[in-house]
Amino acid sequence: MKLKICGMKFNTQEVAVLQPDYLGFIFYGKSKRDFEGMEIPDLPVGIKKVGVFVDAELAFAKAQIEKYKLDIVQLHGDESPAYVNALRLRSELGKPDEDPDPSRKVEVPALSGVEVWKVFGIKDTFDFNRLKPYEGIVNAFLFDTKGKEKGGNGYTFNWEVLMNYTSKTPMILSGGIGLDEIEKIKDILATDLPIIALDVNSKFEKEPGMKDIKNLEKFKQAMAEITPLRS
Ligand SMILES: O=C(O)c1ccccc1N[C@@H]1O[C@H](COP(=O)(O)O)[C@@H](O)[C@H]1O
């Protein structure tokens, strides 16, 4: 079971020492954890960088992917399948022999290296037909709590709803996960749901963007005990 620690801002290096599988950086001006303009310190090998976007301009998202060398893009708004496809088109400099203007950027119809996770918010019900247009073009679905804020609401949704998930696409469980959820996590990981990662954020903070290292250590340890049989 993989672990994503999201909403990095002030103590990224300390968190990285815990060697999570993913670190999440939020590029959304309205978030208290907005990372735009900041620098990601050198990270230990093996940690993937996830950029979180909410209905961002395509050019803005692409620029952050390039600037921060993001491995994964988490789309946390109402991004369409067309947006996902456009995001994955690779922009390359025109080659002189193919394009008279070598400085011009051309769109190459190949999937870029970036992975895409599409987020859906859930409260008490969810129509899983909404996922269909994204099947095959995203790498995973991430389920978060539908709340007042676009993300980072800090409380869980009704995980029973996920029992109606029939897709084979990997899923990431998110939304208000904290130390109090460990027993519930044990139960959901005992099902056949294709959960590949747990995503934590505001429940492990001293203030927005300042993560609580001690509690993260406790969570990581609990995860290691629960999930030895799941990769
Ligand atoms: O945390 C935010 O400020 C945020 C803002 C806009 C979009 C996503 C955001 N956070 C994401 O929300 C989930 C769940 O967070 P929490 O555990 O409920 O605090 C997480 O994936 C963050 O990436």
Side-chain angles (χ1 to χ4, degrees):
M1 181 55 46
K2 293 197 160 72
L3 174 64
K4 169 174 167 246
I5 303 176
C6 200
M8 304 312 306
K9 196 161 179 174
F10 300 119
N11 54 349
T12 305
Q13 247 162 345
E14 272 181 276
V15 176
V17 170
L18 303 178
Q19 200 70 41
D21 302 281
Y22 311 103
L23 283 178
F25 302 88
I26 295 170
F27 298 96
Y28 178 54
K30 292 184 184 156
S31 169
K32 290 175 266 189
R33 305 172 182 89
D34 183 27
F35 196 78
E36 196 193 338
M38 296 185 70
E39 293 300 322
I40 302 181
D42 284 341
L43 298 178
V45 175
I47 300 181
K48 292 190 171 171
K49 288 176 276 190
V50 182
V52 180
F53 297 90
V54 182
D55 297 321
E57 292 284 340
L58 203 52
F60 174 77
K62 285 189 174 193
Q64 309 315 305
I65 294 170
E66 256 183 57
K67 175 176 175 187
Y68 293 100
K69 306 277 174 269
L70 301 175
D71 301 288
I72 298 161
V73 168
Q74 176 176 321
L75 299 178
H76 224 101
D78 295 320
E79 298 84 1
S80 66
Y83 181 100
V84 174
N85 284 327
L87 190 67
R88 300 189 76 167
L89 284 177
R90 195 168 43 195
S91 293
E92 284 189 346
L93 283 181
K95 295 191 183 84
D97 52 337
E98 292 166 8
D99 191 328
D101 176 2
S103 66
R104 186 156 53 209
K105 288 231 173 192
V106 292
E107 297 280 58
V108 178
L111 291 185
S112 70
V114 80
E115 270 191 36
V116 176
W117 296 350
K118 180 72 192 87
V119 179
F120 289 89
I122 301 184
K123 204 174 168 200
D124 293 316
T125 58
F126 186 72
D127 176 7
F128 285 95
N129 286 320
R130 288 177 57 198
L131 307 182
K132 284 190 181 143
Y134 298 88
E135 291 284 3
I137 62 166
V138 300
N139 300 83
F141 293 117
L142 185 149
F143 295 105
D144 185 17
T145 306
K146 188 184 174 110
K148 196 163 73 65
E149 305 298 334
K150 293 287 182 185
N153 282 289
Y155 56 92
T156 56
F157 63 92
N158 177 5
W159 294 355
E160 281 296 314
V161 174
L162 294 177
M163 296 308 151
N164 294 319
Y165 187 82
T166 52
S167 167
K168 298 269 183 288
T169 301
M171 73 157 84
I172 294 132
L173 184 61
S174 183
I177 296 176
L179 291 170
D180 291 344
E181 274 62 51
I182 287 170
E183 288 306 311
K184 261 173 58 179
I185 290 171
K186 273 187 201 168
D187 293 342
I188 199 160
L189 294 186
T191 68
D192 289 336
L193 289 171
I195 299 173
I196 55 157
L198 300 172
D199 177 22
V200 302
N201 179 28
S202 60
K203 285 277 193 79
F204 291 92
E205 288 184 328
K206 293 187 167 168
E207 62 179 90
M210 175 66 82
K211 301 299 167 186
D212 183 328
I213 304 296
K214 284 218 161 59
N215 281 345
L216 281 169
E217 271 170 353
K218 283 187 201 162
F219 187 75
K220 208 177 167 230
Q221 182 56 37
M223 284 304 96
E225 286 163 20
I226 292 174
T227 64
L229 300 177
R230 290 186 69 149
S231 57

